[in-house]
Amino acid sequence: MPDLWAWAAGRLPAPTLWALLGVLGTLAAATLAGAVLAGRGRAPADLLPRLRSWWVMALLLAAALLAGRMAAVVLFGAVSYLALKEYLTLAPSRRADRRLLLLVYLAVPLQYALVARAWYGMFVLLVPVYLFLALPALMALAGETRGFLRAAGTLHWGAMISVFALSHAAFLLVLPESAGLADTARSAAGGSGLLLTLLILTGLNDVAQYVSGRLFGRVRVAPRVSPNKTVAGLLGGLAATAAGAALLAPLLTPFPAGPAALLGLLIGGAGFLGDLSVSAIKRDAGVKDTGTLLPGHGGMLDRVDSLVFTAPLFLHAARYLYF
Amino acid sequence: MIAARLGLLSATAPALRPSFRRLLDGLGDRLARLGAPLHALPRLAFAALVVRPVLLFAVGLNVRGREHLPRRGPAILAPNHNSHLDALALASLYPLAELPGVVAAGAADYFFRNAPTAWLARHVLGAVPVARGAVRGSDPLAACSAALAEGRVLIFFPEGSRGEPERMQPVRSGLARLAAAHPEAPVVPVYLRNFGRVLPRGDWLPVPVVCDVVIGRPLPAGLPAPALKAAYAAAMAELAAEAGRAAEWD
């Protein structure tokens, strides 16, 4: 055991390791509680598959972080690829743009290569500017004008949410390096601490919103988009995430408790809006889930819908305040 | 007998003396028994190293109604047809060890147009020929019938050739004729969606899109041809509805 800890401590900062252990411990407690509830026949039907999917995600993340930065970047690249594939499956497209879908897919390895190189300037330009210009240019050269605007918009939107926005989570790993600093210059947990804080707070917000919505929810925020989003859910998520951020962020990030609570509110609000936006896409496409990859959650895009909004805001907050 | 089926002896055998023929027959049988896995190797390798990884990473199958998939033949899987991937994807639902028991009907004038393509079709893709454009006096479905008689699962496209992506074409007469000739083989309707977006007719570059495979209950046995066509069309409409709404435009 001490050998294992020494090995892990050689690969990741100690606060990050403790946070990972905390996540796995919380999952173990939730699984135990779920098993007890299921034994009494009182567990919601999707609780156990949902927990199993959380286990897979948490263990994959822990393994990737321990294996090194490159492995973690590749893992997030795979998440982006799967989310993009689900998006391009449910979004309509023109036959004439078939080859362009491959260009959008190509944005995944390019964007994550920029993450691995910690090249922030190009990281924020590639998809919003260069892909944005390349798509309509190639479409115009191909010559099909029918439905041009909606096709260009639909393709670029997919790249923006599944590639650009999500890659901000992975960029947290290299944020200190991109600012020319040593990994642990600003906080003992370094880039991996920032990433874990984002993921834990976004997940906490999702769960707190769900639980508080189920317990107290009555007034719906956007009944035409999603019947499950209630004011009580939103407020419960905001409160839990602000409290969680005030406790966690000072240990894992440069944020002291006060600003961290505000950061929690930001993540709570952004997560809610991300969830709602992806729900609107699903409603538009006439599907309930974006896929079947993660039993209990739906598809990859269902799982990362809130992260699409929280990752860029968290990165910007951390970058402009501390890096 | 196996040797005869493999066509090892068909040309020379009749001219040989009976004793010699028995010897050759025994040798052929033993060779065939030894050679059977070897024979299946190109197709297994192609499935394991190319088809299945592509389906797993680049496509992603969303399979519903897997419990209706016939475990063993004789049986007819009757999917709609939009892509060269259709038959490969359906065959991939079977474990590799059972792959030799699954064959797909392919147009003789396309897949079997010359010796090299015929070899590839038969030994790499697992196809059996269907003669399009009837020749009087010959059964265009002879190879399909033989596969069913050998107890294989036959993937048979009732629409004939691949249509426009994601549009069903009228069902032709082959399915009803095969079903009538093989009452022991259940006809299982399968609805495939999005394969025409991944790899449509006239394109060679696949684009990753998640594909649906919805397998239905076997159609009732012993239906006359018009009733079978109607039952197939109704079953396919139901399976398409189960697959949910398709992404529109074109």
Side-chain angles (χ1 to χ4, degrees):
Chain A
M1 259 340 241
D3 282 353
L4 189 65
W5 181 261
W7 172 80
R11 308 197 60 91
L12 284 175
T16 304
L17 284 179
W18 283 113
L20 277 175
L21 281 179
V23 168
L24 296 178
T26 310
L27 268 183
T31 307
L32 202 65
V36 171
L37 278 180
R40 294 187 192 156
R42 285 178 47 199
D46 65 345
L47 182 64
L48 292 181
R50 208 172 238 271
L51 280 169
R52 222 173 333 218
S53 298
W54 275 120
W55 272 110
V56 172
M57 291 185 278
L59 290 173
L60 272 178
L61 177 73
L65 284 176
L66 282 169
R69 178 199 287 177
M70 212 40 213
V73 170
V74 168
L75 178 69
F76 276 87
V79 168
S80 270
Y81 167 70
L82 292 170
L84 180 62
K85 193 168 70 173
E86 288 176 0
Y87 175 88
L88 291 176
T89 299
L90 60 86
S93 57
R94 306 185 306 171
R95 178 81 196 269
D97 299 331
R98 251 179 62 74
R99 299 285 170 97
L100 277 185
L101 298 194
L102 291 175
L103 180 71
V104 177
Y105 279 114
L106 185 65
V108 176
L110 292 179
Q111 178 76 354
Y112 282 89
L114 294 172
V115 174
R117 295 285 303 275
W119 185 0
Y120 185 79
M122 188 50 80
F123 166 83
V124 289
L125 289 182
L126 180 74
V127 177
V129 178
Y130 295 111
L131 187 67
F132 175 74
L133 298 178
L135 283 174
L138 292 170
M139 286 167 66
L141 286 174
E144 173 66 87
T145 53
R146 194 176 43 88
F148 187 92
L149 188 53
R150 64 177 181 182
T154 303
L155 282 178
H156 193 243
W157 218 84
M160 283 299 284
I161 61 165
S162 4
V163 185
F164 180 69
L166 276 180
S167 64
H168 283 68
F171 199 87
L172 289 170
L173 284 171
V174 300
L175 185 57
E177 186 191 309
S178 77
L181 296 167
D183 188 43
T184 51
R186 291 278 188 269
S187 76
S192 58
L194 288 168
L195 173 63
L196 264 187
T197 307
L198 168 71
L199 297 178
I200 292 172
L201 292 180
T202 304
L204 171 68
N205 180 52
D206 288 348
V207 173
Q209 253 186 44
Y210 174 80
V211 171
S212 130
R214 285 282 282 255
L215 291 179
F216 312 112
R218 272 186 303 116
V219 185
R220 292 168 179 168
V221 178
R224 290 181 55 200
V225 178
S226 167
N228 298 325
K229 307 282 181 302
T230 61
V231 174
L234 171 61
L235 294 177
L238 285 173
T241 311
L247 288 174
L248 196 67
L251 304 173
L252 293 172
T253 72
F255 287 87
L262 292 179
L263 179 74
L265 291 179
L266 186 70
I267 289 181
F272 180 83
L273 295 174
D275 197 345
L276 203 63
S277 303
V278 173
S279 291
I281 299 177
K282 288 189 283 189
R283 178 119 326 180
D284 186 20
V287 297
K288 197 175 150 290
D289 290 327
T290 60
T292 54
L293 192 69
L294 299 165
H297 299 265
M300 183 54 82
L301 202 50
D302 288 308
R303 184 55 268 148
V304 300
D305 51 8
S306 40
L307 201 57
V308 166
F309 276 44
T310 59
L313 292 180
F314 182 90
L315 175 72
H316 296 156
R319 183 176 146 83
Y320 291 125
L321 289 173
Y322 301 103
F323 292 95
Chain B
M1 183 231 151
I2 297 172
R5 194 201 290 161
L6 291 174
L8 284 179
L9 300 174
S10 53
T12 50
L16 297 170
R17 270 190 300 149
S19 60
F20 188 54
R21 197 195 157 151
R22 263 200 305 281
L23 181 76
L24 257 189
D25 236 1
L27 200 69
D29 265 11
R30 215 163 301 159
L31 262 180
R33 230 173 286 142
L34 266 180
L38 215 63
H39 220 241
L41 208 59
R43 187 177 175 202
L44 289 179
F46 182 60
L49 302 176
V50 180
V51 178
R52 291 178 193 218
V54 165
L55 288 172
L56 184 64
F57 295 109
V59 181
L61 295 186
N62 182 10
V63 185
R64 273 177 262 194
R66 200 185 270 270
E67 65 276 13
H68 300 311
L69 193 70
R71 294 295 299 156
R72 57 193 77 249
I76 303 171
L77 289 181
N80 51 326
H81 198 14
N82 294 106
S83 166
H84 280 323
L85 280 179
D86 293 342
L88 295 172
L90 269 180
S92 82
L93 301 182
Y94 288 87
L96 278 178
E98 289 172 27
L99 202 54
V102 182
V103 293
D109 55 276
Y110 180 78
F111 288 103
F112 295 81
R113 59 182 178 272
N114 57 43
T117 64
W119 188 89
L120 283 174
R122 193 181 299 276
H123 297 295
V124 177
L125 302 177
V128 293
V130 180
R132 289 192 292 199
V135 177
R136 200 167 301 168
S138 74
D139 177 8
L141 298 171
C144 294
S145 273
L148 288 172
E150 288 160 12
R152 294 179 206 257
V153 174
L154 173 69
I155 300 168
F156 187 84
F157 299 103
E159 298 164 276
S161 62
R162 294 167 298 160
E164 280 298 298
E166 312 309 304
R167 298 269 181 283
M168 273 223 54
Q169 301 190 91
V171 169
R172 298 151 78 113
S173 62
L175 178 67
R177 278 191 281 152
L178 265 185
H182 297 273
E184 75 285 1
V187 177
V188 179
V190 182
Y191 183 73
L192 304 176
R193 164 168 294 160
N194 280 350
F195 288 98
R197 292 176 72 193
V198 175
L199 193 67
R201 186 187 191 126
D203 209 331
W204 54 270
L205 202 59
V207 168
V209 173
V210 182
C211 294
D212 292 303
V213 180
V214 193
I215 305 160
R217 277 172 223 290
L219 299 180
L223 292 178
L228 181 78
K229 264 190 186 181
Y232 177 72
M236 290 300 276
E238 202 174 298
L239 297 177
E242 196 180 317
R245 212 169 91 187
E248 278 154 22
W249 306 354
D250 51 27

